[in-house]
Amino acid sequence: MTTPYQSKYWGHALTLKGSSDSVANLARSIANARVDLNPHQVDAALFAIRSPFSKGVLLADEVGLGKTIEAGLVLSQRWAERHRKLLIIVPATLRNQWAEEMEEKFYLPTCILDRRSYNKLRKSGIANPFDQSGTVLIVSYQFAAQRGNEIRRIPWDVVVLDEAHRMRNVYKPNSKTAQAIYEAIEDANKLLLTATPLQNSLLELYGLSTFIDSHVFGDIDSFKEQFVRAPNEALRNREIRKRLAPLCTRTLRKQVAEYIRFTNRIPFTQEFHPTDDEQDLYDAVSTYLQRPTLQALPASQRALMTMVLRKLLASSTFAIAETLQRLVHRLEHLAEQEYEVLDPDMEAIMEEGQEEELFGEDEFQPEPDPATLRELIEQEIAELRTYATLAQSITNNAKGEALFTALERALQEAQAIGARRKAVIFTESRRTQRYLHDLLTANGYRGKVVLLNGTNTDPECTEIYSRWLARHAGNPFPRESKQVAMRTALVEEFRDHAEILIATEAGAEGLNLQFCSLVVNYDLPWNPQRVEQRIGRCHRYGQEHDVVVVNFLNRRNEADQRVFQLLAEKFTLFHGVFGSSDEVLGAVESGVDIERRILKVYQTCRTPAEINAAFDKLQGELEEQIQARMAQTRQALLDNFDEEVHARLKLSRDRAMESLDLRTRWLAALTRFELGDGAEWTPDGTAFRLPGGTGSLPWHYFDWKAAEENAGIHYRPESELARSLIRQAIERPLPPAEVEFDYAAHGAIVSALEPLRGRSGWLALALLAVESLEKEEFLLLAGTLEDGTPLDEELCHKLIALPARVLRPDLPHPPPDLSGLLHHLADARLGQVQQRNLKFLEEETDKLYRWADDLKYGPERELKEMDREITGARRAAGLAQTLQEKLDAQKAIRALERKRTQKRRELYEAQDAIEMQRDELIEKLEGQLGQRVEQEHILAVHWSLI
């Protein structure tokens, strides 16, 4: 029993823009997302959108608490508000992961913009590829810095920066990347994500706060004087905390233990001893790579390609064999082309997952004369052919044989703790991946192995994809890309049927494998951040079991052993609840920098003594970075009190769940009415389906988990069908009518409505639109009894939600009393908006006054120093023994006084300039507060309650 009047009411309620009730507003985004509702994430998203004056915030939750989800909620909210100039800047290795998260969890279309896609768009005639409104753009830090001029031209609604601690040194002149990005997005609203906003110095907080808003603190000199050199640390901490309060929020893992269960990591090391042939190959190729010049590797890309070759060499003989042969072919080609040095096929040699842009280019080295070059090339060809032949002759790898022992033991451990018999094996190379697939298939794992890489074009993957398509025939999916659908199919095959997933770095980016609790690092990256990302595919929120992490240790390679020691002991990657803590990983500016430093050891050290000395030095340098001397300061400045956080999180959760539940009921009621008899519903009303031509289409579920479990469609307000039905309800013209509400049919007690049974009156609904700092809309629902007695607005909302039927469709216009009540409600809403905006204005004004005082602090201090200097000079003059000493002293005093007068004049001028700039900024803020108000009549009904 529903009427078109109620459907229209629900349609407007579901599409209100920017309601001042921010929890209800955020519930709109939550309803459109496939995420579990965690209170700290709701709280962080609310914090990020709280003030329309804000230039951005810093979300600094500890590792593992889902800052990506928090950012997704904010982006989804802005998207729903039609603010669609959205940019995400992330480390290059996380681009695909972010695209996956945004599309699969929030249904936000994304576009990864890199050199290749950028050039393609330019060639298609697009002048500025960053100027896109129908997609969320994702770029790397390096690409954003390089294209800063084009980014600056776009009026971004939100810019998200993941791993934002990379920007903390923006105030330093040599921080070119940070400064370029700062200049590119200076005027945008920014969302910075980092678990480590403060690691080694208070100046890092200054850098991050200034990156967001240049008016939080004064200049760098005043910050150092007031805060870095502050004598009273407690007073200083209180002041910094006060300044950061509107800018930064941080939740600790211990504060959300009530809501989230975290599991442990269990390390397991599998030693192996390469055969003599394997060791001979390693020693020969390693010595070759240590030469100062090589013809097979262009000097401009020497470091990157040497890194790749060393990783392939450590991976397997199968991985390095073909690459050595490719280098032979390249050198032969150079000889045929009269020794012209050509770039090699980078993609073929580099394999996948490598980031050329992170390494840049090495310095150019001049080529030798042609005669010498011919001889060098012929020598290298002969050598490389020898190495390639040796590699091809080795058909068994000691590490591959050791995999069986490690795998069976680890799978048994996983089963012992109740986990499923599943393992994900990571390798650096597609050729090693194929070797392991064949090895496992031939030794008891036939039909139980799935491969996942950047291409997935082999027959097995194609067959899995075909079966997946057949299983999901007729189901629409949020992403149309075959590449993404292929990844989904392969993961589903691993989850439901296979035991082993062998994945390359590129293939595994962005995967969520919580159903697997065994991670095997067949090849161990040198970059600790990459290792953490690998383990994080399984050890993440939602994992029910402890995660076993298997690593292989080469007992005939001193450098490999020291790398493992570094990752295990200094970065604590393989054990504990969270593996590498934010204290450790956040201390490292770049994992690529560590790779470079490790490569230097491999390239320059030849004996075990040299290797150990070099790694001892590297560990010492890292220990200086990975230290916790700022831990207490960080806690004082950034961490909230447990009681305060617990209460706030509980409130956010309860209010968000209430709003989400209400919106779901609105959408279900509207959908049921608008579809009428054209849909089949489950008995509990939680799902429906439309009739098809030869059968029925999939079920539509309001809950995303139920949709996943039943291979159905997640039906949400932003679904195409829902948008169509909501628009249909809103646009339906409705004259005044007589509507009868049925209290008994509601099936639940609503005590406030019981006194109205048997009575009647009028209801009127209007839409109030307020445009000041942002556009906001409010539904105004006014009601009266027959005698004109006004009803409480909350009571009217309860009344219109009851089952009802239309008795008479056409009535004369409602009494004028309703218009007066609607105007009264509108005035109350406008008053609330004004009070809220006034609070935000006062917050911004206080910030600007403090900023101005900061800027004046330095000159005032200098003036006081001069006063003390003059006082000291006068005291010294009084002690002069001769006339000449007296005259010289007086002359010095007059010079100091003239200098003080000049400094005082400069101070007054500077103060005037600072205050003028402050006042201009305040006037600009006040100008934004002008309101434009519109009120639109929606419907009116004469009601009765039985």
Side-chain angles (χ1 to χ4, degrees):
M1 294 170 59
T2 300
T3 69
Y5 294 86
Q6 293 165 299
S7 187
K8 189 163 190 169
Y9 163 77
W10 292 322
H12 279 287
L14 286 166
T15 55
L16 286 180
K17 294 183 178 68
S19 168
S20 60
D21 181 359
S22 55
V23 171
N25 197 25
L26 191 65
R28 178 179 179 181
S29 299
I30 297 170
N32 279 293
R34 296 168 62 218
V35 295
D36 285 317
L37 185 63
N38 282 310
H40 71 280
Q41 293 167 340
V42 174
D43 190 63
L46 290 174
F47 179 83
I49 62 177
R50 57 178 288 275
S51 172
F53 280 124
S54 172
K55 289 188 175 182
V57 298
L58 177 65
L59 304 184
D61 291 355
E62 279 192 298
V63 168
L65 295 185
K67 289 183 287 296
T68 306
I69 299 299
E70 296 166 2
L73 287 172
V74 174
L75 291 172
S76 183
Q77 180 65 29
R78 295 310 184 208
W79 185 271
E81 295 167 356
R82 298 296 187 265
H83 299 310
R84 296 189 172 177
K85 295 289 187 182
L86 306 174
L87 177 66
I88 301 174
I89 304 175
V90 300
T93 54
L94 299 183
R95 290 172 301 188
N96 286 346
Q97 181 176 331
W98 269 86
E100 294 276 348
E101 294 271 314
M102 293 303 102
E103 296 212 17
E104 294 182 1
K105 286 185 168 60
F106 298 96
Y107 303 99
L108 293 173
T110 64
C111 171
I112 296 176
L113 204 58
D114 54 17
R115 278 196 293 268
R116 185 177 299 176
S117 57
Y118 173 90
N119 291 334
K120 186 176 179 180
L121 290 169
R122 286 295 300 270
K123 288 179 182 178
S124 70
I126 296 176
N128 186 352
F130 289 92
D131 191 7
Q132 301 184 46
S133 297
T135 185
V136 180
L137 290 181
I138 302 175
V139 300
S140 70
Y141 276 99
Q142 288 71 23
F143 194 73
Q146 293 164 5
R147 302 293 176 184
N149 288 334
E150 289 154 288
I151 292 175
R152 190 181 302 116
R153 299 190 195 112
I154 309 300
W156 300 105
D157 295 308
V158 178
V159 178
V160 176
L161 294 97
D162 193 16
E163 305 291 344
H165 49 267
R166 292 173 175 229
M167 300 292 101
R168 59 191 173 196
N169 292 327
V170 66
Y171 63 91
K172 293 182 178 179
N174 61 346
S175 297
K176 303 300 183 184
T177 298
Q179 289 178 358
I181 294 175
Y182 169 75
E183 292 170 3
I185 61 173
E186 183 177 3
D187 297 326
N189 186 282
K190 294 169 279 289
L191 191 61
L192 273 60
L193 313 178
T194 177
T196 54
L198 174 62
Q199 189 63 39
N200 298 310
S201 167
L202 286 177
L203 293 176
E204 295 165 355
L205 280 182
Y206 172 80
L208 286 175
S209 63
T210 303
F211 188 90
I212 295 172
D213 186 341
S214 59
H215 297 116
V216 176
F217 296 102
D219 57 21
I220 186 67
D221 292 331
S222 67
F223 184 86
K224 289 178 180 178
E225 188 66 32
Q226 290 185 87
F227 302 114
V228 177
R229 305 187 188 108
N232 188 326
E233 187 173 323
L235 186 63
R236 175 202 71 183
N237 289 348
R238 282 198 298 272
E239 178 60 24
I240 294 181
R241 189 181 178 93
K242 180 180 178 182
R243 301 271 189 113
L244 293 177
L247 197 75
C248 176
T249 183
R250 177 172 171 85
T251 303
L252 307 179
R253 294 189 290 262
K254 64 181 181 180
Q255 293 168 335
V256 297
E258 175 183 345
Y259 310 105
I260 301 176
R261 177 180 176 266
F262 300 113
T263 63
N264 210 338
R265 291 182 185 183
I266 302 172
F268 170 50
T269 303
Q270 178 64 51
E271 298 181 354
F272 70 97
H273 293 76
T275 63
D276 290 342
D277 283 346
E278 288 179 275
Q279 191 63 37
D280 289 344
L281 175 67
Y282 179 89
D283 292 340
V285 175
S286 182
T287 301
Y288 167 79
L289 291 174
Q290 288 177 329
R291 292 180 188 171
T293 58
L294 293 173
Q295 304 312 309
L297 307 182
S300 62
Q301 297 164 330
R302 173 70 185 270
L304 172 62
M305 295 186 67
T306 301
M307 173 81 75
V308 174
L309 288 166
R310 284 200 170 276
K311 289 183 176 182
L312 296 178
L313 182 62
S315 179
S316 70
T317 58
F318 304 90
I320 196 64
E322 186 174 336
T323 300
L324 292 170
Q325 194 59 50
R326 285 180 181 271
L327 291 177
V328 169
H329 293 329
R330 176 180 183 271
L331 287 173
E332 291 173 339
H333 185 68
L334 289 180
E336 294 169 6
Q337 296 298 317
E338 298 181 0
Y339 322 114
E340 179 187 355
V341 178
L342 303 173
D343 287 335
D345 179 355
M346 287 298 294
E347 289 186 3
I349 294 180
M350 287 171 58
E351 287 284 308
E352 51 183 280
Q354 307 299 329
E355 292 297 336
E356 180 182 358
E357 64 187 65
L358 295 184
F359 284 86
E361 295 185 350
D362 297 327
E363 293 183 2
F364 174 77
Q365 296 178 8
E367 297 292 339
D369 65 81
T372 305
L373 182 59
R374 176 191 293 275
E375 184 179 347
L376 291 173
I377 289 176
E378 291 174 351
Q379 289 176 357
E380 276 195 36
I381 288 175
E383 284 185 70
L384 290 172
R385 279 178 177 160
T386 301
Y387 305 151
T389 300
L390 176 57
Q392 290 165 352
S393 71
I394 302 172
T395 56
N396 294 313
N397 284 190
K399 185 163 66 165
E401 299 297 328
L403 176 63
F404 292 114
T405 304
L407 201 54
E408 276 308 310
R409 179 178 164 189
L411 284 171
Q412 289 172 9
E413 285 196 27
Q415 284 184 293
I417 59 175
R420 301 173 69 183
R421 187 179 168 84
K422 293 188 181 295
V424 55
I425 301 173
F426 286 104
T427 176
E428 299 272 10
S429 163
R430 283 202 300 264
R431 291 189 286 272
T432 299
Q433 185 186 43
R434 172 52 58 183
Y435 156 64
L436 294 178
H437 171 274
D438 295 343
L439 187 66
L440 291 170
T441 298
N443 289 274
Y445 290 92
R446 181 172 299 278
K448 300 177 182 179
V449 182
V450 176
L451 300 184
L452 182 62
N453 53 51
T455 59
N456 303 310
T457 55
D458 57 273
E460 291 108 320
C461 290
T462 303
E463 173 61 26
I464 291 170
Y465 180 60
S466 298
R467 293 200 303 267
W468 180 83
L469 285 176
R471 283 198 305 272
H472 297 281
N475 275 25
F477 291 92
R479 298 185 63 161
E480 298 178 356
S481 163
K482 180 181 177 181
Q483 182 182 5
V484 173
M486 174 68 81
R487 284 161 59 87
T488 302
L490 295 174
V491 171
E492 189 175 296
E493 178 74 13
F494 174 45
R495 183 192 67 199
D496 297 340
H497 305 290
E499 289 187 6
I500 309 295
L501 175 69
I502 308 176
T504 63
E505 207 82 53
E509 273 189 338
L511 292 184
N512 295 325
L513 304 173
Q514 296 97 322
F515 57 85
C516 174
S517 61
L518 173 54
V519 177
V520 179
N521 286 311
Y522 188 80
D523 304 325
L524 189 62
W526 296 345
N527 183 338
Q529 292 162 346
R530 278 189 181 271
V531 179
E532 181 62 32
Q533 288 163 23
R534 281 183 174 187
I535 302 172
R537 300 299 99 228
C538 299
H539 191 237
R540 59 196 297 114
Y541 172 74
Q543 175 60 256
E544 297 180 356
H545 304 283
D546 290 341
V547 173
V548 178
V549 183
V550 178
N551 297 295
F552 288 83
L553 188 59
N554 185 345
R555 278 302 178 191
R556 295 185 70 173
N557 190 308
E558 192 73 27
D560 284 2
Q561 293 176 49
R562 291 302 302 267
V563 169
F564 176 77
Q565 181 189 37
L566 185 72
L567 296 174
E569 296 178 7
K570 296 304 173 187
F571 289 101
T572 61
L573 287 165
F574 309 123
H575 62 274
V577 174
F578 277 93
S580 185
S581 70
D582 51 16
E583 301 286 347
V584 175
L585 275 186
V588 180
E589 281 295 326
S590 168
V592 175
D593 178 60
I594 293 177
E595 285 187 289
R596 277 186 176 277
R597 293 157 81 175
I598 291 175
L599 176 63
K600 185 178 179 181
V601 177
Y602 277 84
Q603 286 295 95
T604 58
C605 299
R606 288 167 171 76
T607 67
E610 291 175 343
I611 291 170
N612 281 312
F615 270 103
D616 287 344
K617 181 182 178 184
L618 175 57
Q619 281 193 194
E621 292 170 353
L622 289 173
E623 282 171 355
E624 292 180 7
Q625 290 179 262
I626 306 170
Q627 48 76 41
R629 68 171 183 267
M630 296 296 290
Q632 292 182 340
T633 302
R634 185 185 304 110
Q635 183 177 6
L637 296 179
L638 301 173
D639 295 353
N640 294 307
F641 301 108
D642 289 351
E643 297 82 2
E644 169 195 332
V645 172
H646 190 273
R648 191 180 71 240
L649 294 184
K650 188 176 186 303
L651 179 63
S652 294
R653 179 194 59 180
D654 294 346
R655 292 176 62 197
M657 288 299 294
E658 182 181 343
S659 295
L660 184 61
D661 183 57
L662 183 61
R663 294 181 68 85
T664 302
R665 293 202 306 270
W666 288 342
L667 181 61
L670 180 147
T671 301
R672 185 183 283 271
F673 175 79
E674 297 296 333
L675 290 177
D677 296 331
E680 176 187 356
W681 289 77
T682 57
D684 59 2
T686 59
F688 68 91
R689 64 180 174 184
L690 303 172
T694 56
S696 294
L697 293 176
W699 286 91
H700 292 67
Y701 292 86
F702 294 92
D703 179 68
W704 68 268
K705 289 183 178 178
E708 281 195 354
E709 290 170 2
N710 297 283
I713 296 171
H714 178 207
Y715 183 69
R716 60 199 201 286
E718 290 296 321
S719 300
E720 185 176 346
L721 174 61
R723 289 203 310 268
S724 174
L725 296 179
I726 291 170
R727 185 168 57 251
Q728 177 177 298
I730 289 175
E731 294 177 354
R732 182 182 291 118
L734 295 174
E738 183 171 348
V739 175
E740 181 181 75
F741 293 98
D742 192 336
Y743 181 88
H746 181 55
I749 296 175
V750 186
S751 301
L753 291 177
E754 289 188 349
L756 298 182
R757 297 184 73 176
R759 308 191 70 174
S760 60
W762 281 88
L763 285 175
L765 183 69
L767 180 67
L768 175 69
V770 183
E771 197 161 351
S772 56
L773 297 172
E774 56 186 357
K775 186 171 183 179
E776 301 176 68
E777 293 177 339
F778 304 89
L779 279 182
L780 309 175
L781 185 59
T784 66
L785 297 173
E786 289 291 359
D787 60 5
T789 303
L791 297 176
D792 179 76
E793 186 179 21
E794 184 179 350
L795 197 64
C796 295
H797 285 287
K798 293 180 183 297
L799 180 61
I800 202 171
L802 295 179
R805 55 182 168 269
V806 177
L807 299 182
R808 283 194 298 163
D810 292 300
L811 286 180
H813 291 292
D817 294 355
L818 281 176
S819 296
L821 288 174
L822 287 172
H823 284 303
H824 178 72
L825 291 174
D827 289 341
R829 292 290 190 280
L830 291 173
Q832 292 169 1
V833 170
Q834 190 175 36
Q835 286 298 313
R836 187 204 61 203
N837 288 345
L838 178 62
K839 176 185 174 184
F840 291 142
L841 177 63
E842 289 174 348
E843 187 178 282
E844 288 296 299
T845 302
D846 288 346
K847 179 190 72 180
L848 291 173
Y849 273 103
R850 289 193 297 266
W851 165 76
D853 289 342
D854 284 352
L855 292 181
K856 290 183 283 188
Y857 184 88
E860 288 173 347
R861 181 187 53 77
E862 289 180 21
L863 200 58
K864 290 177 181 177
E865 286 290 335
M866 297 192 91
D867 285 340
R868 284 193 287 270
E869 191 175 350
I870 290 171
T871 300
R874 287 173 178 167
R875 191 178 298 113
L879 299 176
Q881 300 297 316
T882 67
L883 177 60
Q884 188 59 46
E885 288 177 349
K886 284 276 188 184
L887 291 173
D888 290 343
Q890 289 300 321
K891 184 177 179 180
I893 290 170
R894 287 196 300 274
L896 286 171
E897 288 175 338
R898 284 194 298 272
K899 187 176 178 182
R900 180 180 63 181
T901 301
Q902 178 64 25
K903 180 62 69 175
R904 187 179 290 131
R905 188 179 298 114
E906 291 173 358
L907 171 62
Y908 292 152
E909 290 173 355
Q911 287 177 330
D912 289 344
I914 291 167
E915 289 169 2
M916 185 180 298
Q917 188 179 357
R918 178 201 65 199
D919 293 342
E920 287 174 357
L921 290 168
I922 292 173
E923 287 176 13
K924 183 179 178 182
L925 294 175
E926 291 171 343
Q928 294 177 265
L929 291 175
Q931 288 186 349
R932 191 172 69 185
V933 180
E934 293 180 3
Q935 187 171 317
E936 175 191 355
H937 171 78
I938 297 177
L939 60 85
V941 297
H942 182 266
W943 65 268
S944 58
L945 180 62
I946 60 172

